[in-house]
Amino acid sequence: PLPTWLVLLVDADQTQAEALPAAFARESAAITTRADAAGVAETLSATPWDTVVCDLTLPDFTLQTLAAWTALAWSGSRAPAL
């Protein structure tokens, strides 16, 4: 069996939040979804994610948010942000 990838999906669009996990599941991925940027920093620091997929048009998403997430990713998580 393939190893499980840990994927964090941050997207307010319910259609995407439902469709993408199904696609990733075929690739042995375990998906955790968040509907907004709030609280993602805690989620990032709590788990060593393999990949983070984020909708950059979230209402509460800013460049400062991206910078903070990137700093967390480089400080222990192995997650590339997409």
Side-chain angles (χ1 to χ4, degrees), residues 5-10 24 40 44 47-56 61 66 69-82:
W5 290 23
L6 299 177
V7 178
L8 175 61
L9 171 63
V10 186
F24 279 112
V40 170
L44 278 174
T47 303
W49 301 99
D50 294 303
T51 303
V52 177
V53 180
C54 179
D55 176 0
L56 298 179
F61 187 85
L66 179 60
W69 291 1
T70 302
L72 283 170
W74 284 102
S75 69
S77 174
R78 58 185 187 259
L82 303 175

Side-chain angles (χ1 to χ4, degrees), residues 2 4-7 16 27-28 34 37 42 45 54 59 63-65 68-69 72-73 80-81:
L2 295 172
T4 299
W5 290 23
L6 299 177
V7 178
Q16 292 292 340
E27 303 299 326
S28 296
R34 297 288 179 262
E42 292 173 19
S45 61
C54 179
L63 290 177
Q64 289 81 11
T65 306
W69 291 1
L72 283 170

Side-chain angles (χ1 to χ4, degrees), residues 11-32:
D11 198 326
D13 181 340
Q14 188 64 31
T15 302
Q16 292 292 340
E18 292 173 359
L20 288 175
F24 279 112
R26 291 188 295 257
E27 303 299 326
S28 296
I31 310 296
T32 298

